[in-house]
Amino acid sequence: MSSLYNENGILKGQKNRINLLAIIFTVLIFILIARLFYLQIIRGGYYYKLAKNNATRIIYLTAPRGNILSSKGKILVDNESSFNIAITLAHIENLKAELIFLARLMHQNYNKFLKTVKKEEFLPSYEPIILMRNISVKELSKFEVNKLFLPGFFIAKIPIRHYPYKKIGAQIFGYVGPVSSSQLKEKKYDYLNSSDIVGETGLEYYYQKYLHGKDGEKRVVVNSHGEPIGKIIIKKPVMGANLYTTLDLPLERLAYKLMKKREGAVIAINPNNGKILAMVSTPSFNPFYFSEGISQKRWDKIIKNDQHPLENKAIQNALAPGSTFKVIGALAALSLHLITPKEKIYSGSTFKLGNAVFYNWNPNQKSKINLYRAIAESVDTYFYSIGVKISVNKLANYAFKFGFGRKTGIDLPDENPGFIPTRQLVYKIYHRHWYKGSTLSAIIGQSYDIVTPIQLVTAYSSIANGGNMYRPYLLKKIVSQNGRILKEMKPKLIKHIDIKKSYLSAVKKGLCDVVNKDYGTAVNGRIDGITFCGKTGTAQIISKTYSIYDIKKIPRKYRDNAWFVGFAPLKNPKIAVVVLDMHANFLGANAAVIAKKIVEKYLEQKGLWKPPVRKKVNGKVKSKSKVPSFIYTSF
């Protein structure tokens, strides 16, 4: 009986506990429902507004672009921080009012801001749009003081390009600019976002993917005023890879200094592998203006400059080569057994072909001369006598052998292939028939012949090294931020030119006489202790005979273009140089002096040459040789 009583008591106690738990659970459910009713029904509007005003903002952290360096690791292009005003449309309540407020605050044009926003409307509403780039400290202070009135606007800190040497090398490095809406739609730019900058020209464009790096990301909770109230995730940006060039910085700076006040180009190259040592195009420009978003005023000034500073004249400017092209005619004539190097041919002041008369640049020329002298004195009539024996197509074939009429393949965009005439090409492109007299002009580098400085120095490098043609290149290596070599450029032999070494040697002797004989046209380029070889050339703009001292009386746009291309030393050459001096004052003779100074600098750096000690005559340093005062139209 007692046992039964105890069991009933236990069961009754358990039932009471279950009932109690049920009551407690019911009460809790009631409280939860009541709370949900309160939050969603009674206070729902308030919390909806709060949730709307507190949002997660994604801020892209732009990765710094990789540095561009010289062959020895000197920085040529790097980065510096810039402050930019950005807007996120997802957090804007009254776009027009806020843009007007910002425009008045910053003394900017409202329509310009609106146009920028409209251009980027296709982007997700949470993605930032840059309205003002690289703002000043004063503008930054103004924004910070007034940011409470600008919800949805914020300061984006973005790295921009810095150019320690300003205009030097501008066309090589190229410039960058804000990525455009059209570029963002292109597949090749699918890794970019709207706040990125992108390479537009030069190495910046050619090696864009390596230099760009990987953007980071910051997700921040902000309130209705755009103020951050909590940080969620930060993904750090990874700087782009560093690009080491083949450029010799002291040589690059010297070349620019020599060409700074001229229009033209200079290239120095290692003739044994195609490595670019220096490349200059003038006039130049400061690429920094593009990094910050170039103003219309600056853009108009650059674009309207008739000397085209944006153009890389070293690879894009194709002009008549003048007498520098005579070596092609000489090698063609030797290979076709039309002449021998020592054979003397009468070369007068004129050459007649039918009723047409072709003139020599030197009216006093009246003698029999061999190939060496013809090259050294650049005797037109000697080459006219070759021109009547050779067809333009055969002449073109030898030009093609040396890379003319085709791109060299240098690692820069927009290279000009130039043009070498054949009978068929001239008819196809210009709808004109070819006449024998045109071949006489073509063989001395006039007529339809147009070449670029890079083609010319590549061809002469092939002559200098015995017939090997190398692809010219600017990239040494690309190295990631953790030190891994991503890409390394090796010399690339394009081909060995099938021409007898004895013929190349004969032409080289003539080129050495150009500089080292007193009758040579580039005697001013002579280097004491070094056999410097090369060729002057003048491409006529108009047909007019004038004295070298009358050139300044000719309007600049009508002055001839001067060339010099050469290499040194004769045996085992270390450097080849081309100089294009457009609308020059002293033509090929002066271009040779520029080339000489570059060669001297390079060989001195390599320990292969020392400047001679100049002797004094009557207490004065003996002056250098003067430019000859003869009358001419071209050499």
Side-chain angles (χ1 to χ4, degrees), residues 372-373 376 508-517 519-521:
Y372 311 129
R373 188 97 183 199
K508 282 196 280 187
K509 183 185 184 311
L511 294 175
C512 292
D513 290 349
V514 168
V515 180
N516 298 286
K517 295 290 187 181
Y519 50 77
T521 55

Side-chain angles (χ1 to χ4, degrees), residues 41-201:
I41 304 301
I42 298 175
R43 297 284 287 171
Y46 168 79
Y47 284 109
Y48 173 76
K49 186 177 180 181
L50 187 65
K52 184 181 178 182
N53 289 338
N54 287 331
T56 300
R57 173 182 291 163
I58 299 176
I59 300 175
Y60 289 103
L61 306 174
T62 303
R65 292 176 72 84
N67 296 331
I68 299 177
L69 305 101
S70 72
S71 61
K72 292 187 176 180
K74 295 285 186 181
I75 290 178
L76 304 173
V77 183
D78 60 358
N79 305 287
E80 63 183 13
S81 293
S82 73
F83 294 97
N84 310 269
I85 297 177
I87 181 175
T88 306
L89 294 178
H91 306 126
I92 296 294
E93 293 184 358
N94 189 332
L95 179 63
K96 182 177 180 180
E98 292 180 31
L99 285 179
I100 289 173
F101 181 82
L102 180 67
R104 288 175 179 172
L105 181 67
M106 297 295 173
H107 304 291
Q108 296 290 318
N109 188 296
Y110 159 74
N111 290 322
K112 182 181 176 183
F113 285 159
L114 186 61
K115 185 179 178 182
T116 301
V117 172
K118 293 289 184 185
K119 278 173 62 179
E120 311 296 346
E121 274 186 333
F122 71 94
L123 295 171
S125 61
Y126 58 79
E127 190 157 327
I129 298 170
I130 304 295
L131 292 178
M132 288 182 67
R133 291 181 179 273
N134 198 30
I135 62 175
S136 67
V137 174
K138 185 178 179 180
E139 289 170 327
L140 177 63
S141 299
K142 275 186 184 180
F143 180 86
E144 290 296 331
V145 169
N146 292 276
K147 66 181 179 181
L148 288 176
F149 305 105
L150 294 165
F153 293 78
F154 64 98
I155 294 295
K157 190 177 177 182
I158 299 175
I160 60 171
R161 282 315 221 184
H162 171 241
Y163 303 88
Y165 300 101
K166 295 183 172 58
K167 295 183 178 182
I168 297 177
Q171 294 89 350
I172 305 172
F173 311 138
Y175 59 83
V176 297
V179 64
S180 67
S181 55
S182 60
Q183 286 173 320
L184 286 171
K185 294 174 184 176
E186 293 181 39
K187 189 176 180 180
K188 69 177 181 178
Y189 292 126
D190 59 5
Y191 57 93
L192 298 177
N193 64 66
S194 62
S195 62
D196 276 331
I197 58 172
V198 64
E200 300 285 4
T201 59

Side-chain angles (χ1 to χ4, degrees), residues 219-288:
R219 295 173 182 263
V220 181
V221 176
V222 295
N223 61 21
S224 59
H225 298 295
E227 297 168 332
I229 59 174
K231 191 181 293 183
I232 301 177
I233 299 172
I234 292 183
K235 180 183 173 185
K236 291 185 178 180
V238 179
M239 183 176 177
N242 290 332
L243 191 156
Y244 288 78
T245 68
T246 59
L247 295 173
D248 181 307
L249 181 55
L251 208 64
E252 179 76 11
R253 295 180 72 177
L254 174 63
Y256 181 76
K257 181 181 177 182
L258 294 170
M259 292 295 295
K260 188 176 180 179
K261 295 181 179 180
R262 293 178 167 84
E263 180 185 1
V266 168
I267 305 172
I269 191 171
N270 185 327
N272 301 304
N273 54 29
K275 187 185 296 184
I276 301 293
L277 305 172
M279 180 183 284
V280 164
S281 177
T282 51
S284 191
F285 65 97
N286 191 339
F288 174 76

Side-chain angles (χ1 to χ4, degrees), residues 304-495:
K304 291 175 182 178
N305 187 330
D306 62 2
Q307 295 185 25
H308 309 293
L310 292 180
E311 182 180 59
N312 186 349
K313 295 177 177 64
I315 68 165
Q316 294 175 331
N317 211 355
L319 300 167
S323 294
T324 61
F325 195 73
K326 287 175 181 174
V327 295
I328 302 300
L331 289 167
L334 289 168
S335 299
L336 295 170
H337 309 294
L338 301 178
I339 59 169
T340 63
K342 295 182 180 179
E343 176 188 357
K344 290 189 175 183
I345 299 172
Y346 179 76
S347 305
S349 58
T350 60
F351 185 92
K352 290 186 178 181
L353 180 65
N355 294 325
V357 179
F358 294 81
Y359 293 89
N360 189 63
W361 67 266
N362 181 0
N364 299 319
Q365 175 62 44
K366 293 175 184 177
S367 63
K368 282 189 173 184
I369 56 172
N370 59 26
L371 176 64
Y372 311 129
R373 188 97 183 199
I375 293 174
E377 291 193 77
S378 201
V379 181
D380 296 327
T381 47
Y382 177 94
F383 288 93
Y384 295 151
S385 67
I386 296 173
V388 294
K389 299 176 185 178
I390 190 171
S391 71
V392 67
N393 284 17
K394 285 184 178 179
L395 179 63
N397 285 339
Y398 282 89
F400 295 147
K401 283 178 185 283
F402 283 88
F404 295 110
R406 298 179 175 90
K407 295 180 180 181
T408 64
I410 189 171
D411 48 340
L412 283 174
D414 305 318
E415 182 184 2
N416 191 327
F419 183 76
I420 296 298
T422 65
R423 189 178 295 274
Q424 294 78 12
L425 282 175
V426 169
Y427 187 79
K428 181 181 178 181
I429 296 172
Y430 299 102
H431 308 294
R432 294 180 182 177
H433 294 286
W434 189 266
Y435 299 99
K436 197 65 182 177
S438 299
T439 307
L440 271 61
S441 295
I443 203 169
I444 64 165
Q446 297 285 167
S447 183
Y448 292 91
D449 297 341
I450 55 171
V451 308
T452 61
I454 190 66
Q455 289 175 328
L456 201 55
V457 76
T458 300
Y460 270 70
S461 292
S462 302
I463 293 171
N465 67 33
N468 290 326
M469 178 170 285
Y470 289 94
R471 176 195 180 213
Y473 65 99
L474 276 159
L475 175 69
K476 182 179 180 181
K477 60 183 177 181
I478 297 175
V479 183
S480 69
Q481 293 305 314
N482 61 13
R484 187 163 64 95
I485 295 177
L486 304 178
K487 186 180 180 69
E488 191 168 13
M489 195 73 84
K490 301 289 185 183
K492 182 179 179 181
L493 180 66
I494 298 172
K495 62 181 175 180

Side-chain angles (χ1 to χ4, degrees), residues 584-596:
N585 287 338
F586 289 104
L587 302 179
N590 205 36
V593 175
I594 293 171
K596 168 190 173 178

